Amino acid sequence: MGEPELLAEPRRDGVQGRLDAALVILAIDEMSLVLRAESLEYLGVVIGERAAYVEESAALDYVAGYCVVHDVSEREYQLERGGTWDKGKGCETFGPIGPWLVTADEVADPQELDMWLDVNGVRMQTGNTRTMIFTVGKLVSYLSEFMVLEPGDIITTGTPPGVGMGQTPPRFLKAGDSVRLGIQNLGVQGQQVIGPRSPGNAL
């Protein structure tokens, strides 16, 4: 099984992955493309208490709640420009979170949540968090070995089968596409895909 692969999302508004900054991204209903972007759905885990060197058996005690994360990836940057998978994760409108935070006491088992993602009304991804390679508890514990997790930090987990890059032929997003995604009991979000904007024309 090995160990989880860690990717750090770029800073936004001077804050590294904190919920208050991330919610700014949620306020949009349009998503701007760069070159070859695709949609990926992730379970978001929001930390509620400061966590360092946490035992796996106690890790869920440090979780404030869960949310839907639309973890868009720009494959051109990741595959053809060298470096790590971090590239292609930090474009301006990528990574909308929400529509809300569901507190941990309302989620009986984070490893029993159905997930789905549609593009233009066609189901592209279907899955359940029970198939995650590493459980939420394992991920929280593992990360806390390498960094101190602070309240409001967001951990995005793995995505279900059906990613566009793995299809034949590969399926990437294009201007005009409509994306909707949801996780059982955590809500639904959606974005309309727009084309690249000219330099200086930010949302």
Side-chain angles (χ1 to χ4, degrees):
M1 183 182 299
E3 297 191 18
E5 182 175 347
L6 306 181
L7 302 176
E9 296 284 344
R11 291 180 179 269
R12 301 184 188 276
D13 298 337
V15 182
Q16 176 70 48
R18 299 291 195 270
L19 185 58
D20 54 355
L23 285 176
V24 174
I25 307 169
L26 178 62
I28 64 170
D29 58 9
E30 291 183 329
M31 182 172 61
S32 179
L33 288 178
V34 184
L35 296 169
R36 288 191 294 174
E38 70 168 316
S39 289
L40 303 170
E41 179 180 26
Y42 286 74
L43 171 68
V45 180
V46 183
I47 298 299
E49 294 187 33
R50 197 169 195 264
Y53 304 103
V54 171
E55 295 290 337
E56 184 176 347
S57 60
L60 294 186
D61 295 340
Y62 293 82
V63 174
Y66 304 91
C67 57
V68 179
V69 179
H70 186 182
D71 191 56
V72 185
S73 291
E74 174 48 64
R75 297 306 192 187
E76 174 86 10
Y77 292 172
Q78 292 177 336
L79 299 177
E80 299 185 16
R81 300 190 60 179
T84 69
W85 290 101
D86 301 63
K87 278 183 179 175
K89 294 289 188 180
C91 299
E92 180 188 7
T93 59
F94 288 9
I97 294 170
W100 46 68
L101 167 70
V102 177
T103 55
D105 62 296
E106 297 184 85
V107 179
D109 185 352
Q111 305 306 148
E112 282 292 340
L113 300 173
D114 291 327
M115 311 169 70
W116 58 270
L117 183 145
D118 293 347
V119 178
N120 299 328
V122 177
R123 185 62 42 94
M124 302 294 289
Q125 290 186 280
T126 303
N128 187 286
T129 55
R130 78 172 69 93
T131 66
M132 288 169 54
I133 298 172
F134 302 101
T135 65
V136 171
K138 173 64 176 180
L139 293 172
V140 172
S141 174
Y142 184 82
L143 281 167
S144 75
E145 294 181 35
F146 301 99
M147 64 189 77
V148 177
L149 299 174
E150 299 286 357
D153 282 347
I154 302 170
I155 301 169
T156 55
T157 63
T159 188
V163 296
M165 184 174 67
Q167 299 192 24
T168 305
R171 168 71 164 87
F172 299 107
L173 295 173
K174 61 184 185 301
D177 283 348
S178 176
V179 182
R180 285 178 58 82
L181 59 152
I183 299 179
Q184 179 183 356
N185 300 329
L186 303 187
V188 176
Q189 60 164 279
Q191 289 83 34
Q192 189 76 21
V193 179
I194 60 176
R197 294 183 306 284
S198 58
N201 184 20
L203 285 177

